[in-house]
Amino acid sequence: MTTPLPGGTGKLGDLAVSRFGYGAMQLAGPWVMGPPADRDAAIAVLREAVELGITHIDTSDAYGPRITNSIIREALHPYPKSLHIVTKVGANRDAQGGWPTARRPEDLRRQVQENLQALGLERLDLVNLRLGNADGPVPGPITESFEALVELQKEGLVQHLGVSNATAEQVAEAITIAPIVCVQNMYNLAFRHDDELIDMLAREGIAYVPFFPLGGFSPLQSDALSAIASRLDATPMSVALAWLLQRSPNILLIPGTSSAAHLRENAAGAGLSLSTGDVAELDKIGR
């Protein structure tokens, strides 16, 4: 019998998913390029995730490229009915490991087809349009690209849509074109630019999926988090994940790891119960 995951169940549109999910980026090689050093270990992580009760796996055929999705298929296909795989399109990989944008309609159609083929699916549960660049969100119109995904949705190749690495204005633009079920942006204790956006999305029933839960910390902020974690007899990662779950009910987690043991530690740590005083002290880190 699986132990209930921290945070319980969340929603991606009409899809019920575990609020504690798994991000598969780290299953590829260094810098998300090439195969992992130990493919069997990568397969074991995915199977452990499903065994734990995780029903939300985040991936992209750009990871590797074409590595992570093949591992997911080998490990988990045919997929449990409860499992929902979320992918993203909008960027390619170059030989130097960069992430050049690829958001023309023909680029997006090709990438959706590549994800379908690699994962062994006839329809993708959710596709996020990756915006901006490797440095973060970049303002600008998204209508042409997002409408291309809407067309693929109408063709039955995609069930739900979302945006990633997006500005608040781009989120609003997407919503005027078609319903979205999630926004996937960088957000954590130290990087809280999306506070207002998260609250708006919660009111609209739209999920927010933060990436880099420990990214962008200054040394001073890291010291503050470590001090709180030490007082709570927990790891900084556990405190950061628990804070995110308590921040808003529409937040879904996708921490990544290439270790089954670390995955179990993350799942247990995210269940840390933070008091009102703990949360107030942690809130000071990003403000």
Side-chain angles (χ1 to χ4, degrees):
M1 183 177 180
T2 58
T3 302
L5 288 165
T9 301
K11 301 286 281 187
L12 290 168
D14 59 359
L15 306 177
V17 297
S18 55
R19 286 188 70 204
F20 184 89
Y22 174 71
M25 177 185 278
Q26 292 187 34
L27 295 184
W31 306 105
V32 202
M33 290 290 286
D38 188 338
R39 189 178 178 95
D40 289 341
I43 289 171
V45 172
L46 288 161
R47 292 176 176 167
E48 179 69 19
V50 171
E51 186 67 24
L52 284 172
I54 288 172
T55 59
H56 174 197
I57 292 178
D58 182 83
T59 185
S60 172
D61 210 42
Y63 298 163
R66 295 174 295 281
I67 296 294
T68 297
N69 281 354
S70 70
I71 296 173
I72 291 172
R73 182 173 183 173
E74 181 179 351
L76 302 177
H77 194 276
Y79 305 110
K81 289 184 178 180
S82 61
L83 181 65
H84 299 294
I85 299 175
V86 177
T87 189
K88 64 177 68 66
V89 295
N92 286 326
R93 304 301 303 279
D94 59 28
Q96 292 72 43
W99 300 80
T101 59
R103 293 195 287 268
R104 297 174 304 173
E106 58 268 33
D107 295 327
L108 300 174
R109 179 174 290 275
R110 172 182 52 79
Q111 291 169 66
V112 165
Q113 293 286 3
E114 288 171 347
N115 276 278
L116 286 166
Q117 182 177 6
L119 291 166
L121 293 168
E122 294 182 357
R123 182 177 69 173
L124 298 170
D125 286 332
L126 167 57
V127 173
N128 284 311
L129 175 62
R130 185 183 188 274
L131 299 165
N133 57 36
D135 295 324
V138 175
I142 67 167
T143 296
E144 182 183 28
S145 298
F146 197 71
E147 285 182 342
L149 288 186
V150 173
E151 184 59 33
L152 293 168
Q153 184 182 44
K154 291 177 180 176
E155 293 175 20
L157 300 179
V158 177
Q159 184 173 357
H160 293 298
L161 300 174
V163 292
S164 177
N165 206 32
T167 67
E169 292 74 20
Q170 289 167 336
V171 172
E173 183 180 353
I175 291 172
T176 67
I177 299 168
I180 65 171
V181 302
C182 79
V183 173
Q184 188 181 106
N185 277 1
M186 180 175 172
Y187 179 82
N188 55 48
L189 269 167
F191 190 87
R192 300 188 57 175
H193 293 54
D194 276 354
D195 272 334
E196 291 185 9
L197 178 61
I198 289 170
D199 294 339
M200 183 278 286
L201 294 173
R203 292 191 295 270
E204 298 297 324
I206 298 171
Y208 185 91
V209 185
F211 57 78
F212 295 136
L214 277 180
F217 277 67
S218 70
L220 187 61
Q221 290 168 326
S222 295
D223 288 346
L225 176 60
S226 296
I228 294 168
S230 178
R231 190 188 73 226
L232 297 175
D233 192 25
T235 66
M237 185 68 168
S238 297
V239 174
L241 293 176
W243 178 85
L244 283 167
L245 283 174
Q246 291 184 215
R247 165 63 181 83
S248 182
N250 67 323
I251 287 182
L252 307 179
L253 303 183
I254 51 166
T257 177
S258 58
S259 160
H262 189 212
L263 174 65
R264 291 190 294 271
E265 289 174 5
N266 282 347
L272 181 70
S273 181
L274 301 176
S275 69
T276 302
D278 294 332
V279 172
E281 189 172 349
L282 288 165
D283 281 345
K284 296 176 183 177
I285 291 176
R287 292 175 176 170

